[in-house]
Amino acid sequence: MRQGAGISATAGGFNRSARSLRHLVAGQWRTGGGADLLDVNPAWPHETVAVGQLAEDCDLDSAVAAAQDAFPRWAATPHHVRGPILDRAADILDTRAEEWGTELSWEEGKTRVEGVGEVRRAAEILRYYASEASRPVGEVFASPRPGEQIQVIHRPVGVVAVVTPFNFPVAIPAWKIAPALSYGNTVVWKPASLVPLLAVRLAEALVEAGLPEGVLSLLIGNGTLGGQLVEHPGVDAVTFTGSTSVGRRLIATCGHLARPVQTEMGGKNAAVVLADADLELAVGEVLAGALRSAGQKCTATSRLVVQASVADEFLALLTKRAAALRVGDPLEEGTEMGPVVSLQARDEIQRSVDAARERLGVEILTGGRRYDDDRMTGAFLRPTVVELAGDDPLWREELFGPVLSVRRAPDVQEAFRLANDSEFGLSAAVFTDDLRAMAAAMEHVDVGVLHINSETAGADPHVPFGGARQSAYGPKEQGRAAREFFTRTKTVYVRPSGAPR
C-alpha cells in the first residue's frame, strides 16, 4: 500500500503536478473570476489535482448568448461536416486515452484501467454520433390525397443545457454532448465541480477537432450555477444526469417553464440469482456490478436477491471474494477498487452502514468497518455485504458506494417481487439458464435495462439507455432514441401545384 506522503511528482512516469482549470466561453478559454476551486485526489486528499476559479454569472450569460448566436449557422452546417468534427475529437481522445484516463483515475478515484477504458468509451460514443450523417434523417408517409407526399423531418431544438455528474466525467458528457452536436444543437455544459479536469479535457478535444466558436461552452461551477443555467431564458432544452432529488426539482422547474427536459436519476439495482444459475459466473458478475468504480454507478448492483436453496453457498463465495479485493491507490497496478469520490461521500456511506449495524435483522457479512491503516486518511471504504432479514433503509436508499444488500427468496416469483420492490427502475440482472425464468424476467422485472447472466452495469452507445419509474423522466438516451430529445419533428405536406384535388 502506497503511503500518501513523500510521493515523487513524476512517480510511475505520471506527472502529479497540479493542473490549471479553464472555462470555455464563446470560443475563448478563460480562467474564471469566481471563488477558488481546489480539485483534490480522493485517495490522498492532501494531493492537489487541479486549481482554478468558478465561473461567474457574466460567464453564463456570455456562454448562452454565444450558443444562441452560433445555433443558426451550426444547424445549417451539413451533417457530413458536423460528423467529421466528432470523428476527429474521438481520434484525439483515443490518442490521449492513457494520459487522460490516468488523470481521470487521479481525479475521480476509479482504477486506472477503468479510467482509460472510460476515455475510450467516450471516443466510441463520439464516433457513433459522427456516423449519423449516413442514417435516415426523416420519414416519408403515404397520403390519402392523390399526388401528395407527407414528410416528417427532424430539426435541432436549439440551445441545450447539459448538466452532468461526477461518476463518469467523460462518458456521460459524451453521450449527451455528441448527439446534441450531431443533430445541430449548440451546448452550454456544466459538469460536476468534483471532476472539472476531465471536463476540460473533453472540451479541449472538441475544440482541437475544429468545433466552431460558441457551439460548445464549458462552465465549471457549483449547484447554484447549474440551477441558473437550467432556468436561463436563452436555453431551449435541458438534459441532466444526477441524483433523484435534484432531478425532481429540475423537472418541476422545466415544467413551469414549458421547457423540454431529459433526466437520468437514481437507481437501486437488483441482481437476482436463481437456483439453477452458474454460481461462479454470478459471483463474478455481481461483484463487478457492485464494486467496480467503488459502486458509484447509477447502474451499480446495490441489491441482491438469492434463491434460498443456493443462498448459503453463493454468499460464502461472494463474501470471500469481496473481502479479498485489493483496495488502494487507483493508479497502482493491480488495484481492484479505489476510493469513493470524496471524504464527505465516504463519511455519509459509512454512517449509513454504522446505523444499520444497530438495527435488528441486519447482519454484516463482510466489510462495514473503517480502515485502520494509511487508507484511513483517504476516501476508501471496505467492500461491504449486508444481509437483511426484511425491509430496511439499506434496501431502499441509494448509497452510491461499495455496499451490497442481500435478501433471500423462497422461489422465482418472490425473487422477482423483491427485485421490483423499489421506487427506482433503472437496471437489473437475472442469473439463470431456465428459459421460462428468462421470459418471466423480461415480462415482469420493471426496469429500463435488463441483463441476463451479466452484471447490472453497462450500456452500449447504439441502443437506448434509461430507466423506469423514479429513475428517469423524458426520452431515453443513446442510440436512435437520443434523436427524440435532441430534435423536433416537423410534418410537411408536399403537393405539386398541378396535382389533382
Side-chain angles (χ1 to χ4, degrees):
M1 172 62 59
R2 169 174 94 75
Q3 295 294 323
I7 304 305
S8 166
T10 56
F14 175 64
N15 184 352
R16 304 180 86 106
S17 302
R19 278 58 163 168
S20 296
L21 298 170
R22 304 182 293 170
H23 309 271
L24 178 64
V25 181
Q28 304 299 314
W29 290 105
R30 300 182 182 179
T31 57
D36 290 343
L37 175 61
L38 183 65
D39 181 16
V40 301
N41 175 0
W44 316 111
H46 73 280
E47 188 174 76
T48 301
V49 172
V51 294
Q53 292 178 298
L54 298 177
E56 298 181 286
D57 292 352
C58 61
D59 297 319
L60 173 59
D61 290 334
S62 296
V64 174
Q68 289 177 304
D69 182 65
F71 172 65
R73 294 187 298 277
W74 183 244
T77 300
H79 219 139
H80 286 79
V81 175
R82 297 196 298 257
I85 294 174
L86 299 182
D87 254 333
R88 289 194 292 272
D91 290 342
I92 293 166
L93 287 169
D94 269 337
T95 300
R96 307 293 294 274
E98 295 291 330
E99 177 191 352
W100 289 355
T102 303
E103 287 184 335
L104 192 161
S105 302
W106 187 37
E107 176 180 54
E108 190 264 349
K110 57 169 58 85
T111 65
R112 184 178 180 279
V113 170
E114 291 176 287
V116 173
E118 183 179 334
V119 175
R120 295 196 187 283
R121 172 52 64 91
E124 181 184 1
I125 293 165
L126 290 174
R127 287 197 181 94
Y128 175 84
Y129 286 104
S131 68
E132 278 294 279
S134 63
R135 299 188 182 102
V137 295
E139 298 172 283
V140 177
F141 290 83
S143 171
R145 292 162 291 279
E148 183 179 71
Q149 184 184 81
I150 304 174
Q151 300 179 12
V152 177
I153 60 176
H154 290 259
R155 302 298 301 153
V157 298
V159 177
V160 178
V162 173
V163 182
T164 56
F166 75 83
N167 57 328
F168 285 93
V170 170
I172 288 179
W175 79 41
K176 294 176 182 293
I177 293 170
L181 298 180
S182 180
Y183 294 124
N185 302 282
T186 54
V187 170
V188 180
W189 171 30
K190 194 209 85 67
S193 58
L194 282 170
V195 288
L197 178 58
L198 267 296
V200 173
R201 296 304 187 221
L202 179 57
E204 286 176 345
L206 287 161
V207 170
E208 186 178 338
L211 196 68
E213 291 186 3
V215 173
L216 170 70
S217 287
L218 165 68
L219 301 172
I220 302 168
N222 54 26
T224 300
L225 180 72
Q228 292 171 334
L229 172 59
V230 167
E231 296 180 18
H232 198 286
V235 166
D236 297 297
V238 177
T239 178
F240 165 85
T241 296
S243 71
T244 300
S245 59
V246 174
R248 285 171 175 165
R249 293 198 298 271
L250 188 152
I251 292 165
T253 297
C254 290
H256 176 73
L257 297 171
R259 183 166 294 170
V261 60
Q262 173 193 63
T263 66
E264 289 297 335
M265 300 180 287
K268 193 69 176 174
N269 311 295
V272 177
V273 178
L274 299 180
D276 71 303
D278 179 333
L279 298 189
E280 283 288 344
L281 168 70
V283 164
E285 293 295 313
V286 169
L287 284 176
L291 302 179
R292 280 183 184 157
S293 301
Q296 297 174 121
K297 297 180 180 180
C298 56
T299 53
T301 305
S302 54
R303 296 185 298 141
L304 172 63
V305 183
V306 188
Q307 199 163 346
S309 60
V310 295
D312 287 342
E313 180 183 1
F314 183 81
L315 293 176
L317 291 169
L318 181 78
T319 54
K320 180 180 179 180
R321 288 182 52 180
L325 279 177
R326 183 177 176 185
V327 180
D329 189 329
L331 299 189
E332 281 190 357
E333 195 73 29
T335 295
E336 295 173 287
M337 191 181 91
V340 293
V341 73
S342 68
L343 296 179
Q344 179 183 353
R346 177 202 67 181
D347 292 343
E348 289 175 356
I349 296 165
Q350 188 65 55
R351 279 194 293 270
S352 294
V353 174
D354 290 342
R357 185 181 288 109
E358 306 302 319
R359 295 194 289 268
L360 293 175
V362 176
E363 181 184 1
I364 296 180
L365 303 181
T366 190
R369 300 287 183 183
R370 296 177 183 269
Y371 283 107
D372 56 7
D373 54 23
D374 62 328
R375 288 171 289 188
M376 68 189 300
T377 63
F380 294 100
L381 288 165
R382 295 183 190 270
T384 298
V385 181
V386 182
E387 184 166 4
L388 308 176
D391 199 10
D392 187 86
L394 289 184
W395 192 251
R396 302 281 170 197
E397 298 169 3
E398 185 182 29
L399 298 187
F400 225 61
V403 180
L404 179 63
S405 299
V406 185
R407 291 176 70 175
R408 303 185 185 215
D411 53 36
V412 174
Q413 291 74 22
E414 178 63 8
F416 289 167
R417 188 194 72 79
L418 288 173
N420 286 332
D421 187 27
S422 171
E423 67 175 336
F424 301 110
L426 180 50
S427 69
V430 175
F431 294 89
T432 181
D433 283 328
D434 186 325
L435 292 177
R436 290 172 298 182
M438 292 181 193
M442 286 185 258
E443 181 68 23
H444 299 297
V445 178
D446 188 13
V447 292
V449 180
L450 177 64
H451 295 260
I452 305 294
N453 293 322
S454 62
E455 61 170 295
T456 56
D460 289 304
H462 63 291
V463 292
F465 174 85
R469 293 177 283 163
Q470 295 299 311
S471 287
Y473 182 88
K476 295 290 190 288
E477 297 188 287
Q478 301 202 87
R480 297 310 305 276
R483 188 174 68 169
E484 301 309 309
F485 179 72
F486 290 106
T487 67
R488 296 189 180 110
T489 59
K490 180 182 293 186
T491 302
V492 182
Y493 292 83
V494 180
R495 181 190 293 179
S497 59
R501 295 181 179 273

